Short mmCIF file of all heavy atoms in Angstrom, two decimals:
data_model
loop_
_atom_site.label_atom_id
_atom_site.label_comp_id
_atom_site.label_asym_id
_atom_site.label_seq_id
_atom_site.Cartn_x
_atom_site.Cartn_y
_atom_site.Cartn_z
N GLU A 1 18.33 32.09 37.67
CA GLU A 1 18.64 31.98 39.09
C GLU A 1 17.71 32.86 39.91
O GLU A 1 17.31 32.52 41.02
CB GLU A 1 20.10 32.39 39.33
CG GLU A 1 21.13 31.41 38.78
CD GLU A 1 21.21 30.14 39.59
OE1 GLU A 1 20.81 30.13 40.77
OE2 GLU A 1 21.70 29.13 39.05
N SER A 2 17.32 34.01 39.36
CA SER A 2 16.42 34.92 40.07
C SER A 2 15.02 34.32 40.19
O SER A 2 14.44 34.28 41.28
CB SER A 2 16.34 36.26 39.34
OG SER A 2 17.58 36.94 39.40
N SER A 3 14.46 33.85 39.06
CA SER A 3 13.11 33.31 39.11
C SER A 3 13.06 32.07 39.99
O SER A 3 12.06 31.81 40.66
CB SER A 3 12.61 32.99 37.70
OG SER A 3 13.37 31.97 37.09
N TYR A 4 14.13 31.28 39.98
CA TYR A 4 14.19 30.08 40.82
C TYR A 4 13.99 30.44 42.29
O TYR A 4 13.31 29.73 43.03
CB TYR A 4 15.55 29.40 40.61
CG TYR A 4 15.74 28.11 41.36
CD1 TYR A 4 15.06 26.95 40.98
CD2 TYR A 4 16.60 28.03 42.46
CE1 TYR A 4 15.25 25.76 41.66
CE2 TYR A 4 16.79 26.84 43.14
CZ TYR A 4 16.12 25.71 42.73
OH TYR A 4 16.30 24.53 43.42
N ARG A 5 14.56 31.56 42.71
CA ARG A 5 14.42 31.98 44.11
C ARG A 5 13.07 32.64 44.37
O ARG A 5 12.45 32.40 45.40
CB ARG A 5 15.58 32.92 44.48
CG ARG A 5 16.88 32.15 44.66
CD ARG A 5 18.11 33.05 44.62
NE ARG A 5 19.30 32.27 44.94
CZ ARG A 5 19.93 31.47 44.08
NH1 ARG A 5 19.48 31.35 42.85
NH2 ARG A 5 21.00 30.78 44.45
N PHE A 6 12.61 33.49 43.46
CA PHE A 6 11.30 34.11 43.65
C PHE A 6 10.19 33.07 43.70
O PHE A 6 9.24 33.21 44.47
CB PHE A 6 11.01 35.10 42.51
CG PHE A 6 11.64 36.45 42.69
CD1 PHE A 6 12.46 36.99 41.71
CD2 PHE A 6 11.42 37.19 43.85
CE1 PHE A 6 13.03 38.24 41.87
CE2 PHE A 6 11.99 38.45 44.02
CZ PHE A 6 12.80 38.97 43.03
N GLU A 7 10.31 32.01 42.91
CA GLU A 7 9.27 30.98 42.89
C GLU A 7 9.17 30.26 44.24
O GLU A 7 8.11 29.72 44.58
CB GLU A 7 9.58 29.95 41.80
CG GLU A 7 9.35 30.48 40.39
CD GLU A 7 9.82 29.50 39.33
OE1 GLU A 7 10.10 28.33 39.68
OE2 GLU A 7 9.89 29.88 38.15
N ARG A 8 10.25 30.23 45.00
CA ARG A 8 10.26 29.55 46.29
C ARG A 8 10.05 30.50 47.45
O ARG A 8 9.96 30.07 48.59
CB ARG A 8 11.57 28.77 46.44
CG ARG A 8 11.54 27.47 45.65
CD ARG A 8 12.91 27.02 45.19
NE ARG A 8 12.77 25.80 44.39
CZ ARG A 8 12.37 25.76 43.13
NH1 ARG A 8 12.06 26.89 42.51
NH2 ARG A 8 12.28 24.61 42.49
N GLY A 9 9.96 31.77 47.16
CA GLY A 9 9.66 32.76 48.18
C GLY A 9 10.91 33.36 48.80
O GLY A 9 11.73 32.63 49.36
N VAL A 10 11.09 34.66 48.66
CA VAL A 10 12.23 35.34 49.27
C VAL A 10 11.76 36.06 50.54
O VAL A 10 10.57 36.19 50.80
CB VAL A 10 12.88 36.33 48.28
CG1 VAL A 10 13.39 35.60 47.04
CG2 VAL A 10 11.92 37.44 47.90
N ASP A 11 12.72 36.51 51.30
CA ASP A 11 12.45 37.15 52.60
C ASP A 11 12.00 38.60 52.38
O ASP A 11 12.75 39.41 51.85
CB ASP A 11 13.71 37.09 53.44
CG ASP A 11 13.54 37.72 54.81
OD1 ASP A 11 12.40 38.06 55.18
OD2 ASP A 11 14.56 37.86 55.51
N LEU A 12 10.79 38.90 52.78
CA LEU A 12 10.26 40.25 52.63
C LEU A 12 11.11 41.27 53.40
O LEU A 12 11.29 42.41 52.97
CB LEU A 12 8.81 40.29 53.11
CG LEU A 12 7.98 41.51 52.74
CD1 LEU A 12 7.90 41.69 51.23
CD2 LEU A 12 6.58 41.39 53.32
N ASP A 13 11.64 40.85 54.55
CA ASP A 13 12.48 41.75 55.34
C ASP A 13 13.93 41.79 54.84
O ASP A 13 14.73 42.57 55.37
CB ASP A 13 12.47 41.33 56.81
CG ASP A 13 11.14 41.62 57.49
OD1 ASP A 13 10.28 42.27 56.85
OD2 ASP A 13 10.94 41.19 58.63
N GLY A 14 14.25 40.96 53.86
CA GLY A 14 15.61 40.95 53.32
C GLY A 14 15.79 41.83 52.11
O GLY A 14 16.91 41.94 51.58
N VAL A 15 14.72 42.48 51.66
CA VAL A 15 14.78 43.31 50.46
C VAL A 15 15.75 44.48 50.63
O VAL A 15 16.63 44.71 49.79
CB VAL A 15 13.37 43.82 50.09
CG1 VAL A 15 13.44 44.90 49.01
CG2 VAL A 15 12.48 42.66 49.64
N LEU A 16 15.62 45.22 51.72
CA LEU A 16 16.48 46.39 51.93
C LEU A 16 17.93 46.04 52.25
O LEU A 16 18.84 46.66 51.69
CB LEU A 16 15.90 47.29 53.02
CG LEU A 16 14.74 48.20 52.62
CD1 LEU A 16 14.32 49.08 53.78
CD2 LEU A 16 15.11 49.07 51.43
N PRO A 17 18.21 45.07 53.14
CA PRO A 17 19.62 44.73 53.40
C PRO A 17 20.38 44.31 52.15
O PRO A 17 21.54 44.69 51.97
CB PRO A 17 19.52 43.58 54.42
CG PRO A 17 18.22 43.81 55.11
CD PRO A 17 17.31 44.35 54.06
N ALA A 18 19.74 43.55 51.27
CA ALA A 18 20.40 43.14 50.03
C ALA A 18 20.64 44.34 49.12
O ALA A 18 21.70 44.44 48.47
CB ALA A 18 19.56 42.08 49.32
N LEU A 19 19.68 45.26 49.06
CA LEU A 19 19.82 46.46 48.24
C LEU A 19 21.01 47.29 48.71
O LEU A 19 21.83 47.76 47.90
CB LEU A 19 18.54 47.28 48.30
CG LEU A 19 18.49 48.57 47.49
CD1 LEU A 19 18.50 48.26 46.00
CD2 LEU A 19 17.26 49.40 47.86
N ASP A 20 21.13 47.48 50.02
CA ASP A 20 22.23 48.27 50.56
C ASP A 20 23.58 47.58 50.34
O ASP A 20 24.58 48.23 50.03
CB ASP A 20 22.01 48.51 52.06
CG ASP A 20 20.89 49.49 52.33
OD1 ASP A 20 20.44 50.16 51.38
OD2 ASP A 20 20.45 49.58 53.49
N ARG A 21 23.61 46.26 50.50
CA ARG A 21 24.85 45.51 50.29
C ARG A 21 25.33 45.66 48.84
O ARG A 21 26.50 45.91 48.59
CB ARG A 21 24.61 44.05 50.62
CG ARG A 21 25.72 43.08 50.23
CD ARG A 21 26.95 43.24 51.08
NE ARG A 21 27.81 42.09 50.95
CZ ARG A 21 29.13 42.13 51.01
NH1 ARG A 21 29.74 43.29 51.22
NH2 ARG A 21 29.86 41.04 50.90
N ALA A 22 24.42 45.54 47.89
CA ALA A 22 24.78 45.65 46.49
C ALA A 22 25.22 47.08 46.14
O ALA A 22 26.20 47.27 45.40
CB ALA A 22 23.62 45.23 45.60
N ALA A 23 24.52 48.08 46.67
CA ALA A 23 24.90 49.46 46.41
C ALA A 23 26.30 49.76 46.93
O ALA A 23 27.11 50.43 46.26
CB ALA A 23 23.88 50.41 47.04
N ALA A 24 26.61 49.24 48.13
CA ALA A 24 27.93 49.46 48.70
C ALA A 24 29.02 48.82 47.84
O ALA A 24 30.09 49.40 47.62
CB ALA A 24 27.97 48.90 50.12
#
C-alpha cells in the first residue's frame, strides 16, 4: 500500500502533518 502511493506521488507538504497525526 505504501509503494502504491509513493509510485503515484505523495504531497511534499503533507509529510509533516501526517507525521504529527501519527505521533499523536
